[in-house]
Short mmCIF file of all heavy atoms in Angstrom, two decimals:
data_model
loop_
_atom_site.label_atom_id
_atom_site.label_comp_id
_atom_site.label_asym_id
_atom_site.label_seq_id
_atom_site.Cartn_x
_atom_site.Cartn_y
_atom_site.Cartn_z
N MET A 1 11.74 2.84 9.55
CA MET A 1 12.39 4.13 9.68
C MET A 1 11.72 5.21 8.84
O MET A 1 11.79 6.37 9.20
CB MET A 1 13.87 4.02 9.30
CG MET A 1 14.74 3.27 10.28
SD MET A 1 14.76 3.96 11.94
CE MET A 1 15.72 5.42 11.71
N ARG A 2 11.11 4.82 7.73
CA ARG A 2 10.49 5.83 6.87
C ARG A 2 9.39 6.61 7.58
O ARG A 2 9.32 7.84 7.42
CB ARG A 2 9.96 5.20 5.58
CG ARG A 2 11.09 4.91 4.59
CD ARG A 2 10.59 4.31 3.28
NE ARG A 2 9.50 5.03 2.66
CZ ARG A 2 9.63 6.11 1.86
NH1 ARG A 2 10.83 6.58 1.59
NH2 ARG A 2 8.59 6.68 1.32
N PRO A 3 8.54 5.98 8.39
CA PRO A 3 7.55 6.79 9.11
C PRO A 3 8.20 7.82 10.04
O PRO A 3 7.73 8.95 10.15
CB PRO A 3 6.74 5.76 9.91
CG PRO A 3 6.88 4.50 9.12
CD PRO A 3 8.27 4.53 8.57
N LEU A 4 9.30 7.45 10.66
CA LEU A 4 10.00 8.38 11.54
C LEU A 4 10.56 9.56 10.74
O LEU A 4 10.46 10.72 11.16
CB LEU A 4 11.13 7.67 12.28
CG LEU A 4 12.00 8.55 13.19
CD1 LEU A 4 11.14 9.22 14.26
CD2 LEU A 4 13.10 7.71 13.81
N VAL A 5 11.12 9.28 9.57
CA VAL A 5 11.65 10.35 8.72
C VAL A 5 10.51 11.28 8.29
O VAL A 5 10.66 12.51 8.30
CB VAL A 5 12.39 9.76 7.49
CG1 VAL A 5 12.78 10.86 6.52
CG2 VAL A 5 13.61 8.98 7.94
N ALA A 6 9.37 10.72 7.94
CA ALA A 6 8.22 11.53 7.55
C ALA A 6 7.76 12.41 8.71
O ALA A 6 7.45 13.59 8.53
CB ALA A 6 7.08 10.65 7.07
N HIS A 7 7.74 11.85 9.92
CA HIS A 7 7.36 12.63 11.11
C HIS A 7 8.34 13.78 11.33
O HIS A 7 7.95 14.89 11.72
CB HIS A 7 7.33 11.76 12.35
CG HIS A 7 6.17 10.82 12.43
ND1 HIS A 7 4.94 11.08 11.88
CD2 HIS A 7 6.06 9.61 13.03
CE1 HIS A 7 4.12 10.07 12.13
NE2 HIS A 7 4.79 9.16 12.82
N CYS A 8 9.63 13.52 11.11
CA CYS A 8 10.63 14.58 11.26
C CYS A 8 10.39 15.71 10.26
O CYS A 8 10.47 16.89 10.61
CB CYS A 8 12.04 14.01 11.09
SG CYS A 8 12.54 12.94 12.46
N HIS A 9 10.08 15.36 9.02
CA HIS A 9 9.78 16.39 8.01
C HIS A 9 8.54 17.18 8.41
O HIS A 9 8.51 18.41 8.27
CB HIS A 9 9.59 15.77 6.63
CG HIS A 9 10.87 15.44 5.94
ND1 HIS A 9 11.74 16.41 5.48
CD2 HIS A 9 11.44 14.25 5.64
CE1 HIS A 9 12.78 15.83 4.93
NE2 HIS A 9 12.63 14.51 5.01
N LEU A 10 7.54 16.50 8.93
CA LEU A 10 6.32 17.19 9.36
C LEU A 10 6.65 18.16 10.49
O LEU A 10 6.23 19.33 10.46
CB LEU A 10 5.27 16.18 9.81
CG LEU A 10 3.95 16.76 10.34
CD1 LEU A 10 3.27 17.62 9.29
CD2 LEU A 10 3.04 15.62 10.80
N GLY A 11 7.42 17.71 11.46
CA GLY A 11 7.78 18.58 12.57
C GLY A 11 8.62 19.77 12.13
O GLY A 11 8.40 20.91 12.59
N LEU A 12 9.59 19.53 11.25
CA LEU A 12 10.40 20.63 10.74
C LEU A 12 9.56 21.62 9.95
O LEU A 12 9.75 22.83 10.04
CB LEU A 12 11.53 20.09 9.87
CG LEU A 12 12.69 19.44 10.63
CD1 LEU A 12 13.61 18.70 9.66
CD2 LEU A 12 13.45 20.48 11.42
N GLY A 13 8.62 21.09 9.16
CA GLY A 13 7.73 21.97 8.40
C GLY A 13 6.91 22.86 9.30
O GLY A 13 6.76 24.08 9.06
N LYS A 14 6.37 22.30 10.38
CA LYS A 14 5.58 23.09 11.32
C LYS A 14 6.45 24.13 12.02
O LYS A 14 6.02 25.27 12.24
CB LYS A 14 4.93 22.18 12.34
CG LYS A 14 3.80 21.35 11.78
CD LYS A 14 3.20 20.46 12.86
CE LYS A 14 2.02 19.66 12.37
NZ LYS A 14 1.43 18.85 13.46
N LEU A 15 7.67 23.75 12.36
CA LEU A 15 8.58 24.69 13.01
C LEU A 15 8.90 25.86 12.09
O LEU A 15 8.84 27.02 12.50
CB LEU A 15 9.86 23.97 13.43
CG LEU A 15 10.95 24.85 14.03
CD1 LEU A 15 10.48 25.43 15.36
CD2 LEU A 15 12.22 24.04 14.21
N HIS A 16 9.24 25.56 10.86
CA HIS A 16 9.56 26.62 9.90
C HIS A 16 8.36 27.52 9.65
O HIS A 16 8.51 28.74 9.51
CB HIS A 16 10.06 26.04 8.57
CG HIS A 16 11.45 25.50 8.63
ND1 HIS A 16 12.53 26.23 9.06
CD2 HIS A 16 11.95 24.28 8.31
CE1 HIS A 16 13.63 25.51 8.99
NE2 HIS A 16 13.30 24.31 8.54
N ARG A 17 7.16 26.93 9.61
CA ARG A 17 5.96 27.74 9.42
C ARG A 17 5.80 28.74 10.57
O ARG A 17 5.53 29.91 10.35
CB ARG A 17 4.73 26.85 9.33
CG ARG A 17 3.44 27.63 9.06
CD ARG A 17 2.24 26.72 9.04
NE ARG A 17 2.07 26.15 10.38
CZ ARG A 17 1.31 25.11 10.66
NH1 ARG A 17 0.66 24.49 9.72
NH2 ARG A 17 1.19 24.66 11.88
N ARG A 18 6.02 28.28 11.79
CA ARG A 18 5.88 29.16 12.96
C ARG A 18 6.93 30.26 13.00
O ARG A 18 6.69 31.32 13.57
CB ARG A 18 5.94 28.35 14.25
CG ARG A 18 4.60 27.69 14.57
CD ARG A 18 4.71 26.91 15.84
NE ARG A 18 5.01 25.55 15.38
CZ ARG A 18 5.20 24.52 16.17
NH1 ARG A 18 5.18 24.65 17.45
NH2 ARG A 18 5.44 23.33 15.67
N THR A 19 8.08 30.00 12.42
CA THR A 19 9.15 31.01 12.43
C THR A 19 9.15 31.87 11.17
O THR A 19 10.06 32.67 10.97
CB THR A 19 10.53 30.34 12.61
OG1 THR A 19 10.76 29.41 11.56
CG2 THR A 19 10.62 29.64 13.95
N GLY A 20 8.14 31.68 10.32
CA GLY A 20 7.97 32.53 9.14
C GLY A 20 8.80 32.12 7.93
O GLY A 20 8.87 32.86 6.97
N LYS A 21 9.38 30.96 7.95
CA LYS A 21 10.18 30.48 6.83
C LYS A 21 9.30 29.60 5.93
O LYS A 21 9.38 28.39 5.94
CB LYS A 21 11.40 29.71 7.33
CG LYS A 21 12.32 30.56 8.17
CD LYS A 21 13.47 29.74 8.72
CE LYS A 21 14.37 30.61 9.58
NZ LYS A 21 15.44 29.81 10.18
N ARG A 22 8.47 30.27 5.15
CA ARG A 22 7.45 29.57 4.38
C ARG A 22 8.02 28.62 3.33
O ARG A 22 7.49 27.54 3.12
CB ARG A 22 6.51 30.58 3.71
CG ARG A 22 5.69 31.35 4.73
CD ARG A 22 4.76 32.36 4.08
NE ARG A 22 3.67 31.64 3.45
CZ ARG A 22 3.38 31.73 2.15
NH1 ARG A 22 4.08 32.50 1.36
NH2 ARG A 22 2.38 31.05 1.65
N ASP A 23 9.10 29.01 2.66
CA ASP A 23 9.67 28.15 1.62
C ASP A 23 10.21 26.86 2.21
O ASP A 23 9.96 25.77 1.68
CB ASP A 23 10.78 28.87 0.85
CG ASP A 23 10.25 30.01 -0.02
OD1 ASP A 23 9.05 29.95 -0.39
OD2 ASP A 23 11.02 30.92 -0.31
N GLN A 24 10.94 26.97 3.31
CA GLN A 24 11.46 25.78 3.96
C GLN A 24 10.33 24.92 4.52
O GLN A 24 10.36 23.69 4.46
CB GLN A 24 12.44 26.14 5.09
CG GLN A 24 13.72 26.78 4.61
CD GLN A 24 13.64 28.30 4.59
OE1 GLN A 24 12.57 28.88 4.45
NE2 GLN A 24 14.78 28.95 4.71
N ALA A 25 9.31 25.58 5.07
CA ALA A 25 8.16 24.86 5.60
C ALA A 25 7.47 24.07 4.49
O ALA A 25 7.17 22.88 4.66
CB ALA A 25 7.17 25.83 6.24
N ARG A 26 7.25 24.73 3.37
CA ARG A 26 6.58 24.05 2.25
C ARG A 26 7.39 22.85 1.77
O ARG A 26 6.83 21.79 1.49
CB ARG A 26 6.35 25.04 1.09
CG ARG A 26 5.53 24.45 -0.04
CD ARG A 26 5.26 25.46 -1.15
NE ARG A 26 4.78 26.74 -0.68
CZ ARG A 26 3.51 27.00 -0.32
NH1 ARG A 26 2.62 26.04 -0.37
NH2 ARG A 26 3.16 28.21 0.07
N GLU A 27 8.70 22.99 1.72
CA GLU A 27 9.55 21.89 1.27
C GLU A 27 9.42 20.67 2.20
O GLU A 27 9.21 19.55 1.74
CB GLU A 27 11.01 22.36 1.23
CG GLU A 27 11.97 21.33 0.72
CD GLU A 27 13.39 21.86 0.64
OE1 GLU A 27 13.57 23.07 0.44
OE2 GLU A 27 14.31 21.04 0.79
N HIS A 28 9.53 20.89 3.49
CA HIS A 28 9.44 19.78 4.44
C HIS A 28 8.04 19.18 4.48
O HIS A 28 7.88 17.96 4.54
CB HIS A 28 9.86 20.23 5.84
CG HIS A 28 11.33 20.38 5.99
ND1 HIS A 28 12.19 19.31 6.01
CD2 HIS A 28 12.10 21.49 6.14
CE1 HIS A 28 13.43 19.75 6.16
NE2 HIS A 28 13.40 21.08 6.23
N LEU A 29 7.02 20.03 4.45
CA LEU A 29 5.65 19.52 4.50
C LEU A 29 5.29 18.74 3.24
O LEU A 29 4.58 17.74 3.30
CB LEU A 29 4.66 20.67 4.73
CG LEU A 29 4.78 21.34 6.10
CD1 LEU A 29 3.90 22.58 6.16
CD2 LEU A 29 4.42 20.37 7.22
N THR A 30 5.79 19.19 2.11
CA THR A 30 5.55 18.46 0.86
C THR A 30 6.24 17.10 0.90
O THR A 30 5.65 16.09 0.48
CB THR A 30 6.06 19.28 -0.35
OG1 THR A 30 5.35 20.52 -0.38
CG2 THR A 30 5.85 18.54 -1.65
N THR A 31 7.44 17.06 1.43
CA THR A 31 8.15 15.79 1.56
C THR A 31 7.39 14.85 2.49
O THR A 31 7.20 13.67 2.18
CB THR A 31 9.58 16.00 2.09
OG1 THR A 31 10.28 16.84 1.17
CG2 THR A 31 10.32 14.69 2.26
N ALA A 32 6.94 15.37 3.63
CA ALA A 32 6.17 14.54 4.57
C ALA A 32 4.90 14.01 3.91
O ALA A 32 4.57 12.82 4.03
CB ALA A 32 5.83 15.35 5.82
N THR A 33 4.18 14.89 3.22
CA THR A 33 2.94 14.49 2.54
C THR A 33 3.21 13.38 1.53
O THR A 33 2.48 12.39 1.48
CB THR A 33 2.30 15.71 1.85
OG1 THR A 33 2.05 16.71 2.83
CG2 THR A 33 1.01 15.34 1.16
N THR A 34 4.24 13.54 0.73
CA THR A 34 4.59 12.53 -0.27
C THR A 34 4.91 11.20 0.39
O THR A 34 4.44 10.14 -0.04
CB THR A 34 5.78 13.00 -1.12
OG1 THR A 34 5.42 14.22 -1.77
CG2 THR A 34 6.19 11.97 -2.14
N MET A 35 5.70 11.25 1.45
CA MET A 35 6.09 10.01 2.13
C MET A 35 4.89 9.32 2.75
O MET A 35 4.73 8.09 2.62
CB MET A 35 7.15 10.30 3.19
CG MET A 35 8.48 10.74 2.61
SD MET A 35 9.73 11.07 3.87
CE MET A 35 10.16 9.37 4.30
N TYR A 36 4.04 10.07 3.44
CA TYR A 36 2.84 9.47 4.04
C TYR A 36 1.94 8.85 2.96
O TYR A 36 1.38 7.77 3.16
CB TYR A 36 2.05 10.49 4.84
CG TYR A 36 2.71 10.93 6.13
CD1 TYR A 36 2.81 12.27 6.45
CD2 TYR A 36 3.23 10.01 7.02
CE1 TYR A 36 3.40 12.69 7.63
CE2 TYR A 36 3.83 10.41 8.21
CZ TYR A 36 3.91 11.76 8.50
OH TYR A 36 4.50 12.16 9.68
N ARG A 37 1.82 9.53 1.83
CA ARG A 37 0.99 9.01 0.74
C ARG A 37 1.57 7.70 0.20
O ARG A 37 0.85 6.73 -0.01
CB ARG A 37 0.86 10.04 -0.37
CG ARG A 37 -0.13 9.63 -1.45
CD ARG A 37 -0.36 10.73 -2.47
NE ARG A 37 -1.10 11.84 -1.86
CZ ARG A 37 -0.62 13.07 -1.68
NH1 ARG A 37 0.60 13.37 -2.05
NH2 ARG A 37 -1.35 14.01 -1.12
N GLU A 38 2.89 7.67 -0.01
CA GLU A 38 3.55 6.46 -0.52
C GLU A 38 3.40 5.28 0.44
O GLU A 38 3.30 4.14 0.00
CB GLU A 38 5.03 6.74 -0.77
CG GLU A 38 5.31 7.63 -1.95
CD GLU A 38 6.76 8.04 -2.06
OE1 GLU A 38 7.56 7.76 -1.13
OE2 GLU A 38 7.12 8.65 -3.09
N MET A 39 3.41 5.56 1.74
CA MET A 39 3.30 4.50 2.74
C MET A 39 1.84 4.22 3.11
O MET A 39 1.57 3.33 3.92
CB MET A 39 4.08 4.89 4.00
CG MET A 39 5.57 4.96 3.78
SD MET A 39 6.48 5.36 5.28
CE MET A 39 6.13 7.12 5.46
N ASP A 40 0.91 4.97 2.55
CA ASP A 40 -0.52 4.84 2.81
C ASP A 40 -0.83 4.99 4.30
O ASP A 40 -1.59 4.22 4.88
CB ASP A 40 -1.05 3.50 2.28
CG ASP A 40 -2.57 3.50 2.15
OD1 ASP A 40 -3.15 4.59 1.95
OD2 ASP A 40 -3.17 2.42 2.28
N ILE A 41 -0.24 6.02 4.90
CA ILE A 41 -0.50 6.34 6.31
C ILE A 41 -1.47 7.52 6.31
O ILE A 41 -1.07 8.69 6.36
CB ILE A 41 0.80 6.67 7.07
CG1 ILE A 41 1.75 5.48 6.99
CG2 ILE A 41 0.50 7.02 8.52
CD1 ILE A 41 3.11 5.72 7.62
N ARG A 42 -2.73 7.23 6.23
CA ARG A 42 -3.76 8.26 6.03
C ARG A 42 -3.92 9.19 7.20
O ARG A 42 -4.17 10.38 7.03
CB ARG A 42 -5.09 7.59 5.68
CG ARG A 42 -5.00 6.88 4.35
CD ARG A 42 -6.29 6.21 3.98
NE ARG A 42 -6.07 5.42 2.78
CZ ARG A 42 -6.84 4.44 2.41
NH1 ARG A 42 -7.89 4.09 3.14
NH2 ARG A 42 -6.59 3.79 1.30
N PHE A 43 -3.81 8.67 8.42
CA PHE A 43 -3.97 9.50 9.62
C PHE A 43 -3.01 10.69 9.58
O PHE A 43 -3.42 11.84 9.73
CB PHE A 43 -3.71 8.65 10.87
CG PHE A 43 -3.81 9.42 12.15
CD1 PHE A 43 -5.04 9.61 12.76
CD2 PHE A 43 -2.68 9.94 12.76
CE1 PHE A 43 -5.15 10.31 13.94
CE2 PHE A 43 -2.77 10.64 13.95
CZ PHE A 43 -4.01 10.84 14.54
N TRP A 44 -1.73 10.43 9.36
CA TRP A 44 -0.73 11.49 9.33
C TRP A 44 -0.75 12.27 8.02
O TRP A 44 -0.39 13.45 7.99
CB TRP A 44 0.65 10.92 9.61
CG TRP A 44 0.78 10.54 11.04
CD1 TRP A 44 0.76 9.27 11.56
CD2 TRP A 44 0.88 11.43 12.16
NE1 TRP A 44 0.85 9.33 12.93
CE2 TRP A 44 0.94 10.63 13.32
CE3 TRP A 44 0.95 12.81 12.28
CZ2 TRP A 44 1.05 11.20 14.59
CZ3 TRP A 44 1.05 13.36 13.55
CH2 TRP A 44 1.10 12.56 14.69
N LEU A 45 -1.16 11.62 6.94
CA LEU A 45 -1.29 12.31 5.67
C LEU A 45 -2.28 13.46 5.78
O LEU A 45 -2.01 14.58 5.32
CB LEU A 45 -1.73 11.35 4.56
CG LEU A 45 -2.02 11.97 3.20
CD1 LEU A 45 -0.80 12.68 2.64
CD2 LEU A 45 -2.52 10.91 2.23
N GLU A 46 -3.39 13.24 6.44
CA GLU A 46 -4.40 14.29 6.61
C GLU A 46 -3.83 15.46 7.41
O GLU A 46 -4.08 16.62 7.09
CB GLU A 46 -5.63 13.74 7.31
CG GLU A 46 -6.42 12.78 6.45
CD GLU A 46 -7.56 12.12 7.22
OE1 GLU A 46 -7.82 12.51 8.39
OE2 GLU A 46 -8.19 11.21 6.66
N ARG A 47 -3.04 15.18 8.41
CA ARG A 47 -2.45 16.25 9.22
C ARG A 47 -1.39 17.02 8.43
O ARG A 47 -1.30 18.24 8.54
CB ARG A 47 -1.86 15.68 10.50
CG ARG A 47 -2.94 15.51 11.55
CD ARG A 47 -2.83 14.22 12.29
NE ARG A 47 -4.00 14.01 13.13
CZ ARG A 47 -5.13 13.45 12.72
NH1 ARG A 47 -5.24 13.03 11.48
NH2 ARG A 47 -6.15 13.29 13.53
N ALA A 48 -0.61 16.32 7.64
CA ALA A 48 0.40 16.98 6.82
C ALA A 48 -0.27 17.86 5.76
O ALA A 48 0.18 18.99 5.50
CB ALA A 48 1.32 15.95 6.17
N GLU A 49 -1.33 17.37 5.15
CA GLU A 49 -2.05 18.16 4.15
C GLU A 49 -2.66 19.41 4.78
O GLU A 49 -2.65 20.48 4.18
CB GLU A 49 -3.12 17.32 3.46
CG GLU A 49 -2.54 16.27 2.52
CD GLU A 49 -3.59 15.33 1.96
OE1 GLU A 49 -4.67 15.17 2.58
OE2 GLU A 49 -3.31 14.72 0.91
N ALA A 50 -3.19 19.27 6.00
CA ALA A 50 -3.75 20.43 6.70
C ALA A 50 -2.67 21.45 7.00
O ALA A 50 -2.91 22.67 6.90
CB ALA A 50 -4.43 19.98 7.98
N ALA A 51 -1.48 20.99 7.33
CA ALA A 51 -0.37 21.91 7.60
C ALA A 51 0.04 22.65 6.34
O ALA A 51 0.35 23.84 6.38
CB ALA A 51 0.82 21.14 8.18
N VAL A 52 0.02 21.97 5.19
CA VAL A 52 0.34 22.62 3.91
C VAL A 52 -0.71 23.69 3.62
O VAL A 52 -0.37 24.81 3.22
CB VAL A 52 0.41 21.60 2.76
CG1 VAL A 52 0.52 22.31 1.42
CG2 VAL A 52 1.58 20.66 2.96
N LYS A 53 -1.97 23.38 3.84
CA LYS A 53 -3.02 24.37 3.59
C LYS A 53 -2.88 25.57 4.50
O LYS A 53 -3.23 26.68 4.13
CB LYS A 53 -4.39 23.73 3.77
CG LYS A 53 -4.74 22.78 2.66
CD LYS A 53 -6.10 22.16 2.87
CE LYS A 53 -6.38 21.15 1.77
NZ LYS A 53 -7.64 20.44 1.97
N GLY A 54 -2.33 25.35 5.70
CA GLY A 54 -2.12 26.44 6.64
C GLY A 54 -1.05 27.42 6.19
O GLY A 54 -0.92 28.51 6.75
N LEU A 55 -0.28 27.06 5.19
CA LEU A 55 0.76 27.95 4.66
C LEU A 55 0.22 29.02 3.74
O LEU A 55 0.87 30.04 3.53
CB LEU A 55 1.81 27.15 3.88
CG LEU A 55 2.79 26.32 4.68
CD1 LEU A 55 3.65 25.50 3.73
CD2 LEU A 55 3.66 27.21 5.54
N ALA A 56 -0.94 28.80 3.16
CA ALA A 56 -1.47 29.70 2.15
C ALA A 56 -1.79 31.07 2.75
O ALA A 56 -2.36 31.18 3.82
CB ALA A 56 -2.72 29.11 1.51
N LEU A 57 -1.39 32.10 2.03
CA LEU A 57 -1.73 33.47 2.40
C LEU A 57 -3.10 33.81 1.81
O LEU A 57 -3.55 33.15 0.87
CB LEU A 57 -0.69 34.44 1.83
CG LEU A 57 0.71 34.34 2.40
CD1 LEU A 57 1.65 35.24 1.61
CD2 LEU A 57 0.72 34.73 3.86
N PRO A 58 -3.76 34.83 2.32
CA PRO A 58 -5.02 35.25 1.71
C PRO A 58 -4.81 35.54 0.23
O PRO A 58 -3.84 36.20 -0.15
CB PRO A 58 -5.40 36.52 2.47
CG PRO A 58 -4.67 36.40 3.77
CD PRO A 58 -3.40 35.64 3.47
N GLY A 59 -5.67 35.01 -0.61
CA GLY A 59 -5.55 35.21 -2.06
C GLY A 59 -4.63 34.22 -2.73
O GLY A 59 -4.37 34.31 -3.91
N GLU A 60 -4.11 33.25 -1.98
CA GLU A 60 -3.20 32.27 -2.53
C GLU A 60 -3.78 30.87 -2.30
O GLU A 60 -4.35 30.60 -1.27
CB GLU A 60 -1.84 32.39 -1.81
CG GLU A 60 -0.78 31.47 -2.33
CD GLU A 60 0.53 31.62 -1.57
OE1 GLU A 60 0.55 31.32 -0.38
OE2 GLU A 60 1.49 32.07 -2.19
N ARG A 61 -3.60 30.03 -3.30
CA ARG A 61 -4.04 28.65 -3.16
C ARG A 61 -3.02 27.90 -2.31
O ARG A 61 -1.91 28.36 -2.11
CB ARG A 61 -4.17 27.98 -4.52
CG ARG A 61 -5.18 28.65 -5.42
CD ARG A 61 -5.40 27.93 -6.72
NE ARG A 61 -4.22 27.26 -7.25
CZ ARG A 61 -4.04 27.00 -8.53
NH1 ARG A 61 -4.93 27.37 -9.41
NH2 ARG A 61 -2.96 26.39 -8.95
N SER A 62 -3.39 26.72 -1.82
CA SER A 62 -2.49 25.96 -0.97
C SER A 62 -1.26 25.46 -1.72
O SER A 62 -0.27 25.09 -1.12
CB SER A 62 -3.22 24.78 -0.33
OG SER A 62 -3.71 23.91 -1.32
N ASP A 63 -1.30 25.46 -3.07
CA ASP A 63 -0.13 25.04 -3.84
C ASP A 63 0.80 26.21 -4.17
O ASP A 63 1.76 26.07 -4.91
CB ASP A 63 -0.54 24.32 -5.12
CG ASP A 63 -1.35 25.19 -6.07
OD1 ASP A 63 -1.55 26.38 -5.77
OD2 ASP A 63 -1.79 24.67 -7.09
N GLY A 64 0.52 27.38 -3.56
CA GLY A 64 1.41 28.53 -3.74
C GLY A 64 1.06 29.42 -4.91
O GLY A 64 1.68 30.46 -5.11
N GLN A 65 0.08 29.04 -5.73
CA GLN A 65 -0.29 29.85 -6.89
C GLN A 65 -1.28 30.92 -6.46
O GLN A 65 -2.07 30.74 -5.56
CB GLN A 65 -0.93 28.96 -7.97
CG GLN A 65 -0.01 27.87 -8.47
CD GLN A 65 1.20 28.44 -9.16
OE1 GLN A 65 1.09 29.34 -9.97
NE2 GLN A 65 2.37 27.91 -8.84
N ILE A 66 -1.24 32.06 -7.14
CA ILE A 66 -2.17 33.15 -6.88
C ILE A 66 -3.52 32.81 -7.50
O ILE A 66 -3.60 32.34 -8.63
CB ILE A 66 -1.64 34.49 -7.46
CG1 ILE A 66 -0.26 34.79 -6.89
CG2 ILE A 66 -2.60 35.61 -7.22
CD1 ILE A 66 -0.22 34.97 -5.39
N ARG A 67 -4.58 33.04 -6.73
CA ARG A 67 -5.92 32.78 -7.26
C ARG A 67 -6.25 33.80 -8.33
O ARG A 67 -5.96 34.98 -8.21
CB ARG A 67 -6.95 32.91 -6.12
CG ARG A 67 -6.89 31.79 -5.16
CD ARG A 67 -8.08 31.86 -4.20
NE ARG A 67 -7.95 30.79 -3.25
CZ ARG A 67 -8.03 30.95 -1.93
NH1 ARG A 67 -8.27 32.13 -1.43
NH2 ARG A 67 -7.90 29.92 -1.13
N GLN A 68 -6.87 33.32 -9.38
CA GLN A 68 -7.30 34.18 -10.46
C GLN A 68 -8.75 34.59 -10.19
O GLN A 68 -9.52 33.83 -9.65
CB GLN A 68 -7.22 33.46 -11.81
CG GLN A 68 -5.81 33.03 -12.16
CD GLN A 68 -4.88 34.22 -12.34
OE1 GLN A 68 -5.25 35.22 -12.93
NE2 GLN A 68 -3.69 34.10 -11.79
N GLY A 69 -9.08 35.75 -10.59
CA GLY A 69 -10.45 36.19 -10.40
C GLY A 69 -10.52 37.69 -10.35
O GLY A 69 -9.55 38.41 -10.54
N ARG A 70 -11.69 38.18 -10.09
CA ARG A 70 -11.94 39.61 -10.07
C ARG A 70 -11.48 40.19 -8.74
O ARG A 70 -11.77 39.66 -7.68
CB ARG A 70 -13.43 39.85 -10.27
CG ARG A 70 -13.79 41.28 -10.35
CD ARG A 70 -15.26 41.40 -10.67
NE ARG A 70 -15.64 42.77 -10.37
CZ ARG A 70 -16.83 43.13 -9.99
NH1 ARG A 70 -17.77 42.25 -9.86
NH2 ARG A 70 -17.10 44.38 -9.74
N HIS A 71 -10.77 41.28 -8.82
CA HIS A 71 -10.30 41.96 -7.62
C HIS A 71 -10.77 43.40 -7.70
O HIS A 71 -10.41 44.14 -8.61
CB HIS A 71 -8.77 41.93 -7.51
CG HIS A 71 -8.23 40.56 -7.42
ND1 HIS A 71 -8.27 39.82 -6.27
CD2 HIS A 71 -7.64 39.76 -8.34
CE1 HIS A 71 -7.72 38.64 -6.48
NE2 HIS A 71 -7.33 38.57 -7.73
N ASP A 72 -11.59 43.80 -6.75
CA ASP A 72 -12.03 45.18 -6.69
C ASP A 72 -11.05 45.97 -5.84
O ASP A 72 -10.81 45.64 -4.70
CB ASP A 72 -13.44 45.28 -6.07
CG ASP A 72 -14.48 44.63 -6.97
OD1 ASP A 72 -14.30 44.69 -8.21
OD2 ASP A 72 -15.44 44.07 -6.43
N CYS A 73 -10.50 47.03 -6.41
CA CYS A 73 -9.54 47.85 -5.67
C CYS A 73 -10.13 49.20 -5.36
O CYS A 73 -10.85 49.76 -6.04
CB CYS A 73 -8.25 48.04 -6.47
SG CYS A 73 -7.40 46.48 -6.75
#
């Protein structure tokens, strides 16, 4: 059942991402990523990690932190 629960989190994360609910998307995608990693399901882990990276805005890292560096305005 755990793989099914992880798939549900992945699907919910993708849905929230498409509807602009980034915080909810990040929560579900992080849960899916953690579960896939714990179960050593690499195929789906790679897809979940790619979905998390897809959440990042320009100038933001995939973990939600702002990139540090020089900004010319």
Side-chain angles (χ1 to χ4, degrees):
M1 289 301 288
R2 283 182 50 84
L4 177 59
V5 173
H7 286 330
C8 290
H9 280 291
L10 178 59
L12 285 169
K14 289 180 177 182
L15 176 66
H16 286 305
R17 182 183 65 195
R18 279 180 266 179
T19 59
K21 299 176 181 177
R22 294 180 73 238
D23 291 336
Q24 293 93 332
R26 186 177 312 280
E27 183 178 331
H28 284 290
L29 293 172
T30 300
T31 300
T33 301
T34 300
M35 292 181 76
Y36 289 132
R37 187 174 290 115
E38 288 172 352
M39 293 182 286
D40 197 28
I41 302 176
R42 294 179 187 160
F43 179 84
W44 288 105
L45 174 60
E46 291 174 7
R47 277 138 189 87
E49 288 173 338
V52 171
K53 288 180 183 176
L55 285 174
L57 294 172
E60 182 181 65
R61 299 185 326 206
S62 62
D63 61 3
Q65 300 296 315
I66 303 298
R67 288 189 182 129
Q68 298 296 319
R70 184 175 164 209
H71 298 283
D72 294 327
C73 297

